[in-house]
Amino acid sequence: MEYRKNDIVTLEIVDCGTDGEGIGKADGFTVFVKDAVIGDTVTAKIMKANKNYGYGRLMEILNASPYRVEPVCPSARQCGGCQLQAVSYEEQKVFKEKKLRGHLERIGGFTNLPMEPLIGMDEPYHYRNKAQFPVGRNKEGKIVAGFYAGRTHAIIENRDCALGIPENKDVLDRVIAHMEKYNIAPYDEVTGKGLVRHIFVRHGYFTGELMVCLIINGQDLPHQKELIEKLCEIPGMTSISLNINKKRSNVILGDKVKTIWGKEYITDKIGDISYEISPLSFFQVNPQQTWKLYSKALEYADLHGEETVWDLYCGIGTISLFLAQKAKFVRGVEIVPAAIEDAKRNAQINHIENVEFFVGKAEEVLPREYEKNGVYADVIVVDPPRKGCDEMLLKTILKMQPKRVVYVSCDSATLARDLRFLCDNGYELKKVCGVDQFPQTVHVESIVLLSHKSPDSHIDVKVEFGEGEEKVPLDKIAERAKQYQPAPRVTYKMIQEYIEEKYGFKVHTAYIAEVKRNLGLPMYDAPNMVEELKQPRRHPTAEKVEAIKDALKHFGVI
């Protein structure tokens, strides 16, 4: 049966997509339904229909899943920030472990994964130590603060987020009351007028220190002395500042911060290490789980006081300083200069001297230091952004041959891609562990241990060069070396152009990647492959599969 937009279908939800959406089938037609839970029977309205699949809006729950629970937050469905709040926490952990395993198996091609149990939270609410509340007006003109509805800039009013600290509501109440009393306008994205853009709150989980920063479209806040007096009534208030952002953009924070009361920073701890955190600092938002994550990283690194460690994408030195407690020496690399300044200061306040920090791209600094200065590493730790590690960085890791690589990831799809690359070139996947840094959401942090493969045995070979019996002639060396030169790199563009010229049709890079994956070939140079494989998509036709295989044979890939 063919389904079209606006059709109503009845579905039994049998699976869950990587973004938390329920998956059901109607006569073989797959429908992805936001807010549906595995085990639900629902009616859904088709909002977008493709040939074999579509997206539906949840209309009615006919039979509720045993995993369905009542969301703690009344705005959960509108807000979209908590994709899994209607799912029991035990089932959330099952979903996240399945997501991690699925990416490693499907994208990375791994089997018999050495997975440890996912590390969850005892209390999966009120864990975020940071919140940024946009400020605006509702349809009645009233000042509101809350969160943007999913994929929009419409503010869903919510002063008491179930993931945030209780003090958030007290701060918002006082700031908005001050704006109303002194007729201070919120920022309007359409006109570019108005003053207060966001209210930014940070909290030291282990210290109790509180920071409030108002992001404003101007230089000063009217009657700020009166607001300071009100905010200082909140226990733990340590820092109050203004962040200047006059740009017409979606970027929340500007570059300039003016402290108007108290310190320029708050402090918090992870284990025994203290950190100074400014409004512009990156710091993990769930300190309880971060301690568990970093403890697992320390366990995987297996440090005994004699190791040299490189920490790549080190931020303000959170992992670097944690590792320095057990390592001989740690070198951290981060592209953001301000973060490196924070890292150096955090090392000083903790009296840690066996660390060194470099400003720059990890994929540039590590190759440079290796090629020019011959740096060495017993252990390399990487904690990259969602896009994963740059290929040049991975190749340098392979050249350096550290005994262990500890990979901390916030995106299991790019993790799977990078692990495949490393494991195809001398490393072995030893341990995998998921850590739930963000309960009620679809995101899952993961940490992996890779160990360099040791040869099963070795033999000593003596080779003599020159003329004579059992000697290798010198004039043959260059000729023989040419035989072992790597073949020129075959790009996806070359394959696409060959197919279009020979067969008269085009193929997507995701199709090439799929064929290569099925053939057991590395896929690292497919720029869109990971994102494509994460989305519902059509598979290449048999004709296109044969054309791709022909191109791979033509270029000597297979």
Side-chain angles (χ1 to χ4, degrees):
M1 181 176 177
E2 184 176 348
Y3 288 94
R4 295 185 174 88
K5 184 178 179 179
N6 296 325
D7 284 350
I8 303 295
V9 293
T10 299
L11 303 166
E12 181 182 346
I13 304 301
V14 296
D15 203 353
C16 188
T18 56
D19 292 326
E21 69 278 23
I23 302 174
K25 291 198 174 187
D27 301 316
F29 183 76
T30 302
V31 185
F32 298 84
V33 185
K34 181 180 175 291
D35 302 314
V37 175
I38 292 179
D40 280 345
T41 301
V42 304
T43 56
K45 183 178 182 180
I46 304 295
M47 305 305 295
K48 180 181 179 182
N50 294 310
K51 184 177 180 180
N52 299 315
Y53 66 92
Y55 298 90
R57 175 184 294 166
L58 178 63
M59 303 301 290
E60 183 181 1
I61 301 170
L62 301 177
N63 290 302
S65 165
Y67 308 124
R68 179 175 284 279
V69 296
E70 187 66 27
V72 170
C73 175
S75 304
R77 187 172 175 185
Q78 288 175 288
C79 170
C82 296
Q83 304 91 350
L84 301 180
Q85 209 175 113
V87 182
S88 70
Y89 187 54
E90 288 304 311
E91 189 62 20
Q92 288 184 36
K93 291 189 287 185
V94 171
F95 160 77
K96 294 185 180 191
E97 200 165 79
K98 181 180 177 183
K99 178 179 179 178
L100 173 57
R101 181 185 295 275
H103 280 155
L104 292 177
E105 290 178 345
R106 187 162 61 90
I107 298 174
F110 293 99
T111 57
N112 301 318
L113 287 165
M115 288 192 67
E116 299 182 344
L118 182 134
I119 300 173
M121 288 197 75
D122 297 328
E123 174 49 56
Y125 289 99
H126 302 295
Y127 59 81
R128 288 188 63 94
N129 61 9
K130 181 179 83 168
Q132 298 165 146
F133 298 89
V135 185
R137 294 189 187 274
N138 61 15
K139 294 178 181 178
E140 291 74 36
K142 178 186 173 185
I143 297 176
V144 295
F147 300 98
Y148 292 127
R151 299 178 182 174
T152 76
H153 270 223
I155 297 175
I156 304 300
E157 185 172 15
N158 184 356
R159 301 188 190 183
D160 191 16
C161 172
L163 304 189
I165 58 173
E167 290 88 346
N168 284 340
K169 184 177 186 303
D170 203 356
V171 170
L172 294 178
D173 288 347
R174 292 169 190 256
V175 173
I176 291 175
H178 180 82
M179 293 173 66
E180 291 172 339
K181 180 176 180 179
Y182 295 104
N183 197 29
I184 300 171
Y187 180 72
D188 186 322
E189 287 187 329
V190 176
T191 65
K193 305 294 184 181
L195 185 63
V196 180
R197 302 174 69 127
H198 283 77
I199 301 169
F200 181 16
V201 183
R202 276 193 133 144
H203 178 247
Y205 178 83
F206 293 102
T207 63
E209 296 180 1
L210 198 63
M211 168 187 288
V212 174
C213 179
L214 302 187
I215 294 90
I216 60 173
N217 180 40
Q219 292 294 331
D220 294 292
L221 183 74
H223 303 279
Q224 67 184 32
K225 180 180 177 182
E226 289 81 356
L227 177 61
I228 290 170
E229 290 175 354
K230 291 293 184 184
L231 290 175
C232 285
E233 293 172 0
I234 302 173
M237 189 60 63
T238 303
S239 172
I240 304 174
S241 60
L242 303 176
N243 177 266
I244 313 304
N245 184 2
K246 298 181 182 181
K247 296 179 180 178
R248 296 283 295 270
S249 73
N250 294 332
V251 177
I252 294 176
L253 291 168
D255 297 326
K256 184 179 179 182
V257 177
K258 292 170 55 177
T259 301
I260 59 175
W261 182 86
K263 298 180 180 179
E264 296 179 352
Y265 57 85
I266 60 171
T267 57
D268 205 4
K269 302 187 75 172
I270 299 176
D272 295 327
I273 307 297
S274 296
Y275 300 89
E276 292 183 356
I277 309 158
S278 72
L280 299 179
S281 296
F282 171 80
F283 194 71
Q284 292 278 8
V285 300
N286 187 339
Q288 301 171 72
Q289 292 298 94
T290 298
W291 179 80
K292 296 177 184 177
L293 177 70
Y294 289 1
S295 296
K296 183 62 70 173
L298 195 58
E299 174 193 328
Y300 283 4
D302 191 23
L303 304 175
H304 301 279
E306 298 299 322
E307 296 86 359
T308 297
V309 181
W310 278 80
D311 176 21
L312 309 176
Y313 311 96
C314 71
I316 65 170
T318 45
I319 295 182
S320 302
L321 301 181
F322 209 74
L323 296 172
Q325 299 172 99
K326 298 286 186 180
K328 179 180 180 181
F329 203 85
V330 178
R331 293 181 172 91
V333 182
E334 171 59 48
I335 191 173
V336 181
I340 289 297
E341 290 305 311
D342 287 344
K344 292 177 179 178
R345 187 169 64 253
N346 287 326
Q348 289 176 350
I349 66 175
N350 287 282
H351 308 292
I352 294 175
E353 298 180 350
N354 59 329
V355 291
E356 181 181 13
F357 294 103
F358 298 81
V359 176
K361 294 181 179 180
E363 61 268 24
E364 294 176 358
V365 173
L366 190 66
R368 181 191 71 213
E369 293 298 314
Y370 174 70
E371 298 293 342
K372 291 186 177 181
N373 300 320
V375 296
Y376 169 80
D378 297 288
V379 179
I380 290 180
V381 178
V382 296
D383 185 6
R386 293 194 180 280
K387 68 178 182 178
C389 293
D390 184 270
E391 184 178 4
M392 178 58 71
L393 176 64
L394 294 180
K395 288 181 176 179
T396 304
I397 291 174
L398 295 176
K399 290 179 182 177
M400 293 177 70
Q401 297 186 2
K403 298 171 187 174
R404 291 175 295 283
V405 175
V406 179
Y407 195 131
V408 180
S409 170
C410 58
D411 189 316
S412 51
T414 53
L415 167 70
R417 178 202 67 194
D418 292 351
L419 293 184
R420 181 73 275 157
F421 186 84
L422 291 170
C423 289
D424 283 343
N425 292 279
Y427 280 86
E428 183 179 2
L429 184 59
K430 303 295 287 187
K431 293 181 181 179
V432 180
C433 186
V435 180
D436 191 10
Q437 289 277 95
F438 311 102
Q440 317 308 325
T441 78
V442 298
H443 304 296
V444 58
E445 203 90 356
S446 51
I447 182 166
V448 170
L449 170 63
L450 296 168
S451 178
H452 194 270
K453 294 178 183 177
S454 299
D456 297 327
S457 61
H458 72 277
I459 58 173
D460 294 320
V461 178
K462 183 179 180 180
V463 179
E464 292 187 37
F465 299 99
E467 300 298 328
E469 188 177 351
E470 296 184 352
K471 293 184 179 182
V472 179
L474 291 172
D475 59 353
K476 298 292 184 180
I477 298 298
E479 182 179 331
R480 291 192 179 193
K482 289 181 180 179
Q483 299 175 13
Y484 296 95
Q485 285 183 343
R489 180 180 177 185
V490 179
T491 67
Y492 279 62
K493 185 177 180 182
M494 291 164 60
I495 295 172
Q496 289 172 316
E497 290 174 347
Y498 173 85
I499 292 172
E500 186 172 4
E501 181 178 347
K502 182 172 180 178
Y503 293 92
F505 54 73
K506 297 181 179 181
V507 293
H508 196 282
T509 54
Y511 289 172
I512 302 173
E514 182 169 330
V515 173
K516 289 183 70 178
R517 177 169 58 86
N518 291 337
L519 292 171
L521 299 171
M523 306 173 293
Y524 197 92
D525 52 344
N528 299 318
M529 179 276 300
V530 169
E531 289 302 318
E532 289 289 338
L533 288 180
K534 288 162 62 176
Q535 303 299 326
R537 74 196 193 291
R538 298 177 183 175
H539 297 280
T541 62
E543 181 184 23
K544 290 187 176 181
V545 169
E546 291 307 313
I548 293 168
K549 288 182 178 179
D550 176 42
L552 293 173
K553 290 177 183 177
H554 171 77
F555 289 110
V557 178
I558 58 175

